[in-house]
Amino acid sequence: MGLLWNDSTLLVCPVCCELLTISNILGSSSFSVTDLLQSKDQQLSLSLRTADDSDTVGTVVVSRIKMGEIEDGEVDHFTTDMHQKCTLVYESSHGSVNDKDNGPIMNAVFKNAVCKVYRFQTVDSKWMLVREQMAECTLSFSIPKQLIALYIQEDTCRIQELKDLGELSPHWDNLRKDVISRYDQIIKEYQDTLAELEKHTGPSFKPSCSKAQKYLEFVPINLHTQRMRVTCPRKTDSFYDVVTVGAPAAHSQGFKNGGLQKLLSKYESEKKSHSTAYQCIYYPPEQTAKAREILCVVSQLQPHISALADQLLQTAQQSPIQPLRDVLKSLEEKTKQFVHALKDELVKSALLALHAARPGYVSKSQGSARSSPDPHPSAAPKPHSVCNNLDDSQTPQRESQASPVRSDSIPHHKEYDEEEWDRVWVSVAKSLNCVIALVDKLQEQDNNNQESAPAHTLADVITSHSPDPPMTTAVWPDQLGVLVQSLKECVAEVAERARRSVSFVLLQEAACSTAQGLQLQQRRDAVFSQALAALACGFVMRLYAGLEDKDFLRQLHAVGLVAQFESLLSTYSEEIGMLEDMEVGISDLHRVTFRITEAASEEAVSLQPSVSGRRDHYTVEVPLPHHAFQALPDELRQGKPLRVLPVLFNVGINEQQTIAERFGDISLQERINQKNFEILEGYYKSLTSTVPSECLPRFQTQTDIKELLDTLGQNVVTKKRKNVEILWLAGMICRRMNGIRFTSCKSAKDRTSMSVTLEQCSLLRDEHLLNKDYFVRALDCMRSGLLAQGEVAQWDDPEVGSDANNKPASRHFYPIALLLVSSHLLVVWLILSLVFLLAKYQ
């Protein structure tokens, strides 16, 4: 008998009316029914002829069960045992990821899929097919490797910025050498880690048994994608995606002293005392963050302004006015952003502090301040001499009459310092105004000439005579060149001063933090790397699934997406530290934006996402093949930054959480849930005010999102043990808002698999009318088996499922002989045993 099939196709043998399942992708083969019937293990290996005539090996799995649905709607009823056997139709493991429309794209990022297909009965006596597919993600390693390279690059630049501060007093010079030495040590460690990761040739994910390995600390644990595809009679297929990953945390560094949230809080309080000891100015976290932001703005905008200025000169040589105005508009916009960023008081105060750190500085209280000769005289133009003489060809006048001022040393006198700094950055705005005035005058002459002689060309306008002598073609480009050069010099002067001032702020932060601050930065880098790898995986998966959904793409560029992280960590023992790490790592994802680009080719290497930026802001570029990219809306094709809003909800579910709720502290969990509910509510308001409700996905249960949010808010503030309703509501809201779903526990195995399978069965019940008699059976079937690549799944949580009741409790009882030594120890043993028993059967 010859059959032709594609993946996940179920066929009925015309001879014996048995259900045949073929577990391979597009191919054909010939075999006899007798061979199938004689197969003892109900599997038959065969050679397939695929579309490209290459032979592959496939497996036919035979379920000796009659189909449950017939034409008149009546159903054959089987025994309970027979139902249990037919729930899992087939299971297969292969290297490709199969998607209805985007298979080749998906295979570039996701691979080594494990697939199961189930067959369940609906309430209306119909049958549904459920295809569950788990796959690895290549981003588990590629994103961390890119991030580590960026960390090295940024810290190398930081060392150079510290060296560029110039000559400092002996005290500050010693502190600078110490900080540079510590940065060198971090760079060396990161280089070694990157070299080890480059050697990695194993699977595309880090198993939980490797979470303590130092060189893998940047790689997320058990990062997998899970897709459930549901096929129902007379209804289009539905997809439900979730990303599973171990809690982003510094597992290799341990949690003896807590996690990032606690360590950062302690570090800030200690930094104040250290700043006094090291004679430093204490800058709170928001000011040091502002300093890094200013450095980023300077490094981005200065080259951009310079490039636009050069483009303006090139356009001026071509004579047309309108292109000149367009370039000038862009130059004006970027220059205003530059000036606005540098008007911050932090820059001004840092300049004064830097001057005080120079050798030979004498404080005002000591009577005078000394100033050294100026190696780099001020390059600021004299605006009025240029702007008021636009018809002259003279070069901009320098303020040489004023006493020379060092570009790296601002006098300590407060009033003079403010005037000096204000004069420098205001000169940028004045230089720009001079350029605008020149172009305006040129356009005015052009308009006047068009009114009198419309047929004249621009060259005629420039050389024509008028009562107000016009600029000639030989003069006005030279004048424009002088003004543009003056603008570039002013911008460079301001950028250099600002860069040095905020670098000195960061030097003081690093100096007074000793080694602890940089150790915390390493921990934060590792946690953020794990979180970003998971987020990039989820974004790519969601984007691929919605490439043909115009409503989704509109929402993507209008307000961005919500990324909902579901955590099942307890607030007990070391998992408190994990949760604290995870909270900071997820919060840091606010600094990430995505951008869609066109891939150079359709090869897998060209479709890999890439990361760029610094610690204060990263951009992940997601390339798409030409045909997919060209079908996107204009906003996405133009490279608009896409925002992803991460939110974290945590509810502990294991027996350690029972102990924490009865005898411990769960305030961390309550604070996280309350804070992230407010973030989610803010996103919903932005979404509803921007995107019509018709653009959001439709579900069988049409509960309003606002109603779900209100219920979630009530549950967040309600004191209830193990309130998993919070997780269920947050997940439901996320799906209704086209969001990205993540589920995490310590290692993304036991608790994570329980949560995912429960959610899948609940979706089948609520959205696809799964028969209530099948719910528990479907849940048990999905919770059996193995995870990908040998990760054994202990599907039964200690507090849920029948297997939990059969587990021996002797592990909680300490040796009786030891406890009999002391009556006090015996009492302690009895109390602990009672606590564990109560927790076990809660």
Side-chain angles (χ1 to χ4, degrees):
M1 177 175 64
L3 295 175
L4 182 66
W5 67 86
N6 56 28
D7 195 24
S8 303
T9 300
L10 302 177
L11 302 175
V12 180
C13 174
V15 178
C16 59
C17 295
E18 291 179 335
L19 181 66
L20 306 182
T21 305
I22 315 300
S23 60
N24 210 311
I25 60 173
L26 296 175
S28 62
S29 180
S30 298
F31 52 90
S32 65
V33 176
T34 304
D35 293 335
L36 294 177
L37 297 177
Q38 292 176 351
S39 176
K40 295 181 180 180
D41 57 358
Q42 298 189 14
Q43 292 189 1
L44 178 66
S45 298
L46 58 147
S47 176
L48 305 178
R49 188 176 68 256
T50 56
D52 57 358
D53 292 331
S54 60
D55 290 335
T56 60
V57 177
T59 303
V60 176
V61 182
V62 183
S63 298
R64 291 180 170 83
I65 303 163
K66 294 183 179 180
M67 292 293 288
E69 181 182 2
I70 57 178
E71 292 182 356
D72 59 2
E74 296 180 0
V75 179
D76 294 330
H77 297 281
F78 330 121
T79 64
T80 303
D81 292 339
M82 196 63 87
H83 268 298
Q84 184 66 29
K85 291 180 180 178
C86 78
T87 304
L88 176 62
V89 177
Y90 84 79
E91 178 179 355
S92 68
S93 178
H94 48 77
S96 62
V97 177
N98 300 290
D99 184 83
K100 184 177 180 181
D101 303 307
N102 302 311
I105 309 178
M106 295 282 285
N107 288 326
V109 181
F110 308 104
K111 64 179 186 178
N112 296 335
V114 175
C115 180
K116 293 182 180 181
V117 173
Y118 310 92
R119 175 172 172 265
F120 301 124
Q121 191 176 21
T122 62
V123 294
D124 55 354
S125 299
K126 304 296 181 181
W127 289 88
M128 73 172 77
L129 290 179
V130 179
R131 185 177 189 271
E132 186 185 26
Q133 178 175 280
M134 175 185 286
E136 301 170 16
C137 182
T138 60
L139 304 185
S140 289
F141 281 85
S142 68
I143 293 293
K145 287 192 290 187
Q146 294 180 62
L147 269 180
I148 295 174
L150 291 174
Y151 292 153
I152 295 173
Q153 178 182 343
E154 181 178 349
D155 289 342
T156 303
C157 292
R158 185 62 49 78
I159 291 177
Q160 187 59 47
E161 289 166 355
L162 292 176
K163 293 179 179 179
D164 290 342
L165 284 175
E167 191 177 3
L168 298 175
S169 64
H171 168 73
W172 284 107
D173 192 49
N174 290 333
L175 291 178
R176 173 169 59 179
K177 291 177 181 177
D178 184 42
V179 172
I180 290 177
S181 175
R182 281 185 250 145
Y183 273 125
D184 283 331
Q185 181 181 357
I186 291 178
I187 291 174
K188 179 62 169 57
E189 292 180 7
Y190 282 6
Q191 288 173 338
D192 293 342
T193 300
L194 185 59
E196 291 295 325
L197 290 179
E198 293 291 352
K199 298 177 185 177
H200 180 81
T201 57
S204 299
F205 71 97
K206 181 176 77 173
S208 60
C209 59
S210 302
K211 62 175 174 284
Q213 293 190 17
K214 180 67 176 177
Y215 86 96
L216 291 176
E217 65 177 344
F218 292 89
V219 182
I221 299 173
N222 272 334
L223 177 60
H224 288 85
T225 63
Q226 184 107 358
R227 166 166 291 181
M228 181 177 71
R229 176 178 176 179
V230 184
T231 303
C232 294
R234 292 178 292 277
K235 186 177 180 180
T236 58
D237 289 6
S238 300
F239 295 86
Y240 302 96
D241 294 337
V242 64
V243 176
T244 58
V245 62
H251 298 273
S252 63
Q253 299 183 32
F255 309 95
K256 181 179 180 180
N257 298 316
L260 273 172
Q261 191 269 337
K262 179 180 179 180
L263 292 173
L264 288 172
S265 177
K266 181 180 178 181
Y267 161 69
E268 286 301 327
S269 61
E270 292 179 350
K271 195 169 68 171
K272 293 182 180 179
S273 59
H274 288 162
S275 63
T276 303
Y278 285 95
Q279 302 177 23
C280 301
I281 299 174
Y282 170 72
Y283 291 97
E286 57 271 15
Q287 287 193 322
T288 55
K290 183 66 177 179
R292 294 187 178 91
E293 181 183 343
I294 291 173
L295 272 180
C296 182
V297 169
V298 169
S299 62
Q300 289 178 352
L301 289 184
Q302 183 189 354
H304 203 164
I305 291 173
S306 180
L308 285 173
D310 293 337
Q311 184 181 352
L312 185 70
L313 288 178
Q314 294 176 1
T315 307
Q317 301 297 329
Q318 302 172 2
S319 295
I321 291 294
Q322 189 54 46
L324 192 67
R325 299 293 305 182
D326 294 339
V327 177
L328 181 61
K329 183 178 179 181
S330 299
L331 178 62
E332 182 181 4
E333 178 183 349
K334 295 300 179 183
T335 307
K336 287 181 177 179
Q337 293 178 12
F338 181 80
V339 171
H340 178 74
L342 298 186
K343 288 175 64 177
D344 196 280
E345 288 296 323
L346 176 64
V347 180
K348 186 182 298 185
S349 62
L351 282 169
L352 182 59
L354 177 58
H355 171 67
R358 298 296 184 189
Y361 169 78
V362 180
S363 66
K364 188 176 182 180
S365 61
Q366 291 176 298
S368 62
R370 285 175 286 182
S371 167
S372 301
D374 185 4
H376 304 290
S378 174
K382 197 169 185 179
H384 296 291
S385 64
V386 179
C387 295
N388 295 335
N389 297 280
L390 291 174
D391 297 328
D392 299 330
S393 59
Q394 63 185 32
T395 58
Q397 300 294 320
R398 308 278 181 179
E399 293 190 354
S400 56
Q401 300 86 349
S403 58
V405 180
R406 290 183 53 173
S407 62
D408 61 346
S409 179
I410 304 299
H412 80 282
H413 193 273
K414 183 177 180 181
E415 291 77 15
Y416 187 87
D417 169 59
E418 290 181 353
E419 293 177 358
E420 174 67 14
W421 175 237
D422 290 344
R423 184 194 64 78
V424 172
W425 69 259
V426 167
S427 65
V428 174
K430 291 185 177 181
S431 297
L432 178 64
N433 290 337
C434 291
V435 174
I436 296 173
L438 179 62
V439 176
D440 286 344
K441 186 167 186 178
L442 182 64
Q443 185 176 24
E444 182 181 353
Q445 292 185 18
D446 181 38
N447 294 337
N448 293 337
N449 187 75
Q450 286 180 354
E451 292 177 359
S452 59
H456 288 182
T457 63
L458 177 61
D460 296 331
V461 174
I462 295 175
T463 57
S464 63
H465 297 282
S466 63
D468 185 11
M471 294 172 289
T472 64
T473 54
V475 174
W476 82 266
D478 292 339
Q479 288 189 340
L480 183 62
V482 169
L483 295 176
V484 167
Q485 182 63 27
S486 176
L487 174 63
K488 291 171 63 176
E489 290 176 356
C490 290
V491 169
E493 172 77 5
V494 173
E496 180 64 20
R497 292 186 180 224
R499 187 180 292 110
R500 291 188 181 189
S501 67
V502 295
S503 294
F504 189 64
V505 172
L506 298 179
L507 169 62
Q508 294 180 88
E509 180 200 29
C512 68
S513 66
T514 65
Q516 180 188 6
L518 294 181
Q519 290 174 356
L520 280 178
Q521 186 62 64
Q522 287 181 279
R523 187 183 189 105
R524 197 167 187 171
D525 287 346
V527 173
F528 177 77
S529 175
Q530 298 176 37
L532 181 58
L535 179 65
C537 171
F539 180 87
V540 171
M541 190 178 191
R542 186 66 190 88
L543 175 65
Y544 288 174
L547 282 176
E548 297 184 358
D549 187 344
K550 294 182 179 180
D551 292 334
F552 165 74
L553 296 176
R554 177 182 178 183
Q555 175 187 348
L556 179 60
H557 70 73
V559 293
L561 300 179
V562 63
Q564 185 246 331
F565 287 80
E566 172 187 294
S567 170
L568 304 169
L569 295 173
S570 67
T571 53
Y572 179 81
S573 188
E574 66 173 12
E575 290 197 6
I576 297 179
M578 294 180 199
L579 184 56
E580 290 176 340
D581 274 5
M582 188 174 183
E583 179 192 9
V584 175
I586 300 304
S587 178
D588 285 346
L589 292 177
H590 286 88
R591 300 181 279 129
V592 178
T593 56
F594 289 82
R595 181 178 290 114
I596 301 176
T597 61
E598 184 174 2
S601 67
E602 295 194 11
E603 297 180 0
V605 65
S606 299
L607 295 173
Q608 288 290 315
S610 60
V611 187
S612 61
R614 304 167 63 112
R615 285 185 177 92
D616 56 294
H617 179 76
Y618 288 102
T619 298
V620 181
E621 293 188 353
V622 181
L624 292 178
H626 175 76
H627 65 280
F629 182 79
Q630 293 300 322
L632 295 175
D634 292 341
E635 293 84 355
L636 298 180
R637 284 190 285 108
Q638 292 170 2
K640 179 179 179 180
L642 307 175
R643 179 170 171 248
V644 176
L645 188 74
V647 292
L648 169 65
F649 290 92
N650 183 87
V651 176
I653 62 171
N654 60 2
E655 54 191 15
Q656 281 76 25
Q657 183 64 21
T658 302
I659 299 175
E661 290 180 340
R662 292 191 175 183
F663 308 105
D665 181 15
I666 61 171
S667 59
L668 173 63
Q669 173 176 287
E670 294 174 341
R671 180 181 58 78
I672 289 175
N673 291 340
Q674 179 62 41
K675 173 184 174 183
N676 286 272
F677 167 74
E678 294 171 358
I679 297 175
L680 184 62
E681 191 175 36
Y683 173 83
Y684 169 74
K685 293 178 181 178
S686 176
L687 176 66
T688 53
S689 63
T690 308
V691 179
S693 59
E694 295 78 13
C695 295
L696 300 179
R698 296 293 178 181
F699 286 85
Q700 186 74 23
T701 52
Q702 291 298 326
T703 308
D704 184 67
I705 299 181
K706 184 63 170 63
E707 182 179 342
L708 292 174
L709 271 171
D710 292 341
T711 307
L712 176 61
Q714 295 171 6
N715 278 271
V716 163
V717 298
T718 300
K719 301 291 184 180
K720 180 181 178 181
R721 293 177 180 174
K722 298 187 180 180
N723 190 0
V724 294
E725 189 75 9
I726 292 175
L727 300 181
W728 175 246
L729 288 167
M732 190 184 304
I733 292 170
C734 176
R735 292 197 185 279
R736 289 175 181 273
M737 295 194 299
N738 269 325
I740 312 169
R741 284 271 294 114
F742 301 84
T743 301
S744 298
C745 63
K746 180 178 179 179
S747 301
K749 293 196 300 183
D750 303 3
R751 285 169 279 179
T752 296
S753 62
M754 289 180 57
S755 175
V756 171
T757 50
L758 179 60
E759 180 182 15
Q760 290 180 166
C761 289
S762 298
L763 287 169
L764 294 178
R765 177 196 61 200
D766 299 337
E767 303 299 328
H768 301 279
L769 305 179
L770 173 67
N771 193 313
K772 62 180 181 180
D773 295 333
Y774 266 76
F775 185 88
V776 176
R777 188 177 300 121
L779 193 61
D780 291 341
C781 187
M782 286 184 173
R783 288 180 175 177
S784 63
L786 298 174
L787 284 174
Q789 300 297 324
E791 278 289 334
V792 179
Q794 308 293 337
W795 300 107
D796 300 294
D797 187 85
E799 293 191 339
V800 180
S802 58
D803 288 353
N805 299 326
N806 298 326
K807 290 182 180 178
S810 59
R811 57 179 177 167
H812 301 316
F813 292 83
Y814 306 99
I816 302 295
L818 178 62
L819 295 175
L820 290 176
V821 175
S822 169
S823 59
H824 297 290
L825 291 178
L826 182 60
V827 172
V828 173
W829 169 70
L830 291 172
I831 294 175
L832 290 176
S833 299
L834 179 61
V835 168
F836 279 110
L837 287 173
L838 289 174
K840 180 178 181 60
Y841 297 104
Q842 174 65 25

